[in-house]
Amino acid sequence: MSHVTHEDSSGTAPPPDNSWRQRYWKKNVRLMVVLLAIWFTVSFGFGILLIEPLNNIVILGFPLGLWFAQQGSIYTFVILILVYALWMDRIDDEFGVSERNGAGEK
C-alpha cells in the first residue's frame, strides 16, 4: 500500500509530531544532570573540598576522606552507570523506543 501525504491549503505537508522526542530528550538530559551532579559531589566535594573534616572519621583503619578520594568516586561512578542504564530502560519503555522484542528479550 502506498503512503499518502495529505497537504494543507498552502500545498505543503504538515510537520510530523516530534513532541515525544523533545520530552524523551528532556528526561534523558535531566537524568544525566542529576547523576553527574551526584558524581561531582562525591568526587570533588568529598574527595577534595571536604577531605580534611572527613579524615577525622576512621573506618577500618582508613580515614574516610582518603577513601572518598581514592575509592569512593570510582565506586560511585560505576553505580551511577548502572542506575543510568536501568533508568533509561524505563524511559525507553515509556516512549516505545526500547531495544527489546515483545517477549521482553533483547
Side-chain angles (χ1 to χ4, degrees), residues 7 15 19 21-22 26 29 35 40 65 67 83 94 104 106:
E7 296 180 356
S19 62
R21 292 176 191 258
Q22 292 172 346
K26 188 174 183 178
V29 170
L35 295 178
F40 176 81
W67 184 84
V83 168
E94 178 184 339
K106 291 190 176 193

Side-chain angles (χ1 to χ4, degrees), residues 58-92:
V58 177
I59 298 177
L60 299 173
F62 296 101
L64 189 59
L66 175 68
W67 184 84
F68 272 111
Q70 300 297 319
Q71 310 278 333
S73 62
I74 297 170
Y75 290 151
T76 301
F77 186 66
V78 170
I79 291 169
L80 291 178
I81 291 172
L82 176 64
V83 168
Y84 177 78
L86 294 173
W87 208 311
M88 279 308 297
D89 275 346
R90 286 185 188 173
I91 293 173
D92 288 348

Side-chain angles (χ1 to χ4, degrees), residues 2-106:
S2 67
H3 178 69
V4 177
T5 304
H6 299 285
E7 296 180 356
D8 62 9
S9 61
S10 65
T12 60
D17 180 25
N18 286 327
S19 62
W20 71 270
R21 292 176 191 258
Q22 292 172 346
R23 291 190 320 271
Y24 176 82
W25 186 245
K26 188 174 183 178
K27 282 191 173 199
N28 184 8
V29 170
R30 184 180 305 140
L31 176 60
M32 284 191 296
V33 167
V34 168
L35 295 178
L36 286 173
I38 292 169
W39 185 50
F40 176 81
T41 301
V42 170
S43 63
F44 188 75
F46 295 160
I48 297 173
L49 297 178
L50 299 174
I51 193 167
E52 293 300 323
L54 289 173
N55 277 340
N56 294 327
I57 303 170
V58 177
I59 298 177
L60 299 173
F62 296 101
L64 189 59
L66 175 68
W67 184 84
F68 272 111
Q70 300 297 319
Q71 310 278 333
S73 62
I74 297 170
Y75 290 151
T76 301
F77 186 66
V78 170
I79 291 169
L80 291 178
I81 291 172
L82 176 64
V83 168
Y84 177 78
L86 294 173
W87 208 311
M88 279 308 297
D89 275 346
R90 286 185 188 173
I91 293 173
D92 288 348
D93 290 342
E94 178 184 339
F95 285 91
V97 293
S98 178
E99 295 177 352
R100 292 187 228 123
N101 63 13
E105 300 169 345
K106 291 190 176 193

